Amino acid sequence: MTLAALLAAATLGLNAQKPMTAPKGGKAISDELIGIFFEDINNCADGGLYAELIQNGSFEFSPAERDGWGPGTAWKQVRPGHSLGTLQVRMDNPIHPNNPTYMRLHTERAKEFYDYKGWKGFGLENGGYDGITVKAGAKYDFSAFFRNVDKTKQVRVVLAVPQGWGKDPKVLDEATITVSDKQWKKYGAVLTPTEDCKNAILQLLVLNVGDLDVDMISLMPEDTYKGHGLRPDLAQALADLHPKFMRFPGGCVVHGGGDGFWDTYRWKTTIGPKETRRGLKNTWGYHQSMGLGYYEYFQFCEDLGMEPVPILPSGVSCQGTNGGWNMWPTQAQDVVPMSEMDEWVAEAIDLIEWANGDPATNKWAKMRADAGHPAPFNLKYLGIGNEEKISPEFIERFKYIYERVMKAHPEIVIVGTAGPGSHKDNPDYEAGWKLADELAMPLLDEHYYEPNDYFLNKRQYDNYPRDRKTKVYLGEYAAKDKKFIDALAEGLYLLHVERNADVVSMTSYAPLFARKNGTQWNPDMIYFDNERPYLTCSYYVQQLFGQSSGQYYYGDCVQFEGDEAGVQQPLENVHYGQSVILNVKTRKLYVKLVNATDKEKKAGINLSRFSLKKNAVKTVLEGNANDENNFDKQPIAPKKETIKAEKKFDIELKPYSMVMLEYQL
């Protein structure tokens, strides 16, 4: 080691915070309480978190996914200069069986016609997702697979700004590629736009007569999050939440679109080179390219220091497909025959070995290493099933998978499901918990979406048994609107969850993302367009809780004026509350206070048991109950200031506000 490296290591050691012993009075709680749940809903993968700018670059869109769709969806035939040609959709001898459809460009005339001196060539044009947004000076990697059928071709690749009917587009940058190979080969070029543009197009123009096959057309920004193919601003918005884990890929995406098990999400077809992945009909009515697949999910978890929580199908379909929700509570489920369940057991065991295995001895681990990650991903959690009806068929198949996975990998923490709407007195909730108790399951996933008055008033985890081996994972929840009062209600509820974080181990708000002009579900935590994310009120509340994780809860440090001394708040139907969390690893103390009433609240705070540094950071969210962050305005945002740290003091909370105080110990 060099002298500079030794000095740097010594400095790091001096500056590092040593874990501390928690003062008396604290209750041990989960420090993985706040995570995120990514489901490909609201067009949030392709055209969203996945940074690819070309839509339907593999020509795999289909009318089976949406009426009127086909291989040419999102593409236009272009023939400037009166060039002539035809497009042929073909499936013979594709790049890979998982990617069977490609386009043949048959060019009949590619030269200038009469005295036309503008553009020429025959080909294709793509406008991305509501236009291709590019920045001046940024680099964009173009790639495509070409196969030349006859003589050598010149292909002009143009990134341009459309100028209207009858006018040539304005060139931002271009490249010419020579294609001579008679077998599929990947070609590429780097395009650097000369100016910013919100609605650019990409054109591929064949400049010679004859036939040329094309597939897997891509335009990827070189500036992606940590170089791993994700859109930086959206990924950073997630990083700023400080999540401890990420659940993926769903949600209802896990068990397919209701057309049978042929379109169930299978992780094995989402890894490997992009041209070998199998696109899929999405439960929410669109196409998933799988450019964002299991490898990228795990890599993103590693980039953010999150525990990956993959969810696998259980051999039972979602009871909500094919109109099933309209038959509640008697929905029918499609089921995999028990004679075929070993395939679904292998789906789980092979995933564990892909994530954690030794490439020298395991073929799945070798695939991970060949993709560029020889070290294990250290998978700890694995979910089986997603809010299915807890029917006898589900129970039989879940137990079949569970028992075999546990035998093969007892170190893995299995996450089960308590069905949809699992906080209510319903048969799925009761059956889910009965099964969890029977198997001594480590974690059970509860889901519920309710109006804000539920989150303002209910405190059911106060009454959960403390002797159960199974902990709660609140995997999907949200108030049913996105006003500030809804966010405060969720914050008040999370104070209650923190107080019960000896029972509740993990939580994740849902859904996470929604694309403007492509939203199927409201509300969502983060909305976005091609240029930026729009952070909701709920986002900022979640952010404060994510920033303030810890291992100990103190319930007796805050006393609201008018409350009975020694009684921990919040109680049911009390619309204000508090939580004090200690992180012994970072030596930080957090005081969180929420006032979801229209009256000012005063509280006395006593932190005498803690040794505080000189200053503290105060973060405030405040506004009107009906304020809402959207594409037009963002009235709610955190305000930070540095204040003097005091051990005993009073604080006044404005109506409809949340305050967090952060202390270094």
Side-chain angles (χ1 to χ4, degrees), residues 522-584:
N522 280 295
D524 305 283
M525 191 193 296
I526 302 168
Y527 293 79
F528 65 91
D529 57 22
N530 286 348
E531 297 180 77
R532 57 162 289 188
Y534 296 82
L535 308 177
T536 64
C537 303
S538 292
Y539 173 90
Y540 289 120
V541 169
Q542 293 287 326
Q543 184 182 60
L544 291 181
F545 278 90
Q547 291 172 347
S548 58
S549 65
Q551 300 80 31
Y552 291 90
Y553 169 87
Y554 293 83
D556 58 350
C557 296
V558 179
Q559 179 73 43
F560 281 96
E561 187 176 60
D563 288 345
E564 182 180 351
V567 176
Q568 293 186 14
Q569 299 291 323
L571 302 175
E572 287 195 15
N573 303 312
V574 178
H575 299 166
Y576 55 91
Q578 55 84 21
S579 179
V580 177
I581 302 295
L582 172 65
N583 191 316
V584 297

Side-chain angles (χ1 to χ4, degrees), residues 248-323:
F248 61 88
C252 291
V253 164
V254 166
H255 34 215
D259 296 327
F261 289 102
W262 67 268
D263 72 337
T264 297
Y265 195 107
R266 309 299 289 268
W267 71 268
K268 293 178 182 179
T269 60
T270 75
I271 60 174
K274 300 293 175 73
E275 66 271 15
T276 69
R277 301 184 184 185
R278 181 171 68 91
L280 190 67
K281 176 184 177 182
N282 183 285
T283 299
W284 302 104
Y286 55 88
H287 182 83
Q288 293 174 275
S289 74
M290 299 305 173
L292 176 55
Y294 258 57
Y295 183 83
E296 289 76 22
Y297 284 128
F298 273 82
Q299 194 173 54
F300 187 49
C301 288
E302 186 173 76
D303 286 343
L304 264 63
M306 303 181 290
E307 293 284 354
V309 186
I311 309 296
L312 296 182
S314 60
V316 176
S317 75
C318 175
Q319 66 274 17
T321 56
N322 298 319

Side-chain angles (χ1 to χ4, degrees), residues 129-200:
Y129 300 87
D130 300 322
I132 298 174
T133 299
V134 294
K135 297 179 181 178
K139 296 184 182 299
Y140 297 85
D141 292 332
F142 166 82
S143 65
F145 279 80
F146 291 113
R147 179 173 61 189
N148 189 38
V149 177
D150 37 55
K151 63 181 180 180
T152 297
K153 304 290 190 306
Q154 297 286 311
V155 181
R156 185 184 182 212
V157 180
V158 190
L159 185 63
V161 185
Q163 299 295 301
W165 187 86
K167 297 181 180 179
D168 290 338
K170 179 182 179 181
V171 176
L172 296 173
D173 198 13
E174 64 177 299
T176 300
I177 294 173
T178 301
V179 181
S180 57
D181 289 82
K182 295 296 187 0
Q183 302 297 324
W184 286 112
K185 180 180 177 181
K186 188 175 182 179
Y187 295 80
V190 177
L191 301 177
T192 306
T194 53
E195 61 184 69
D196 292 352
C197 182
K198 299 179 182 180
N199 64 330

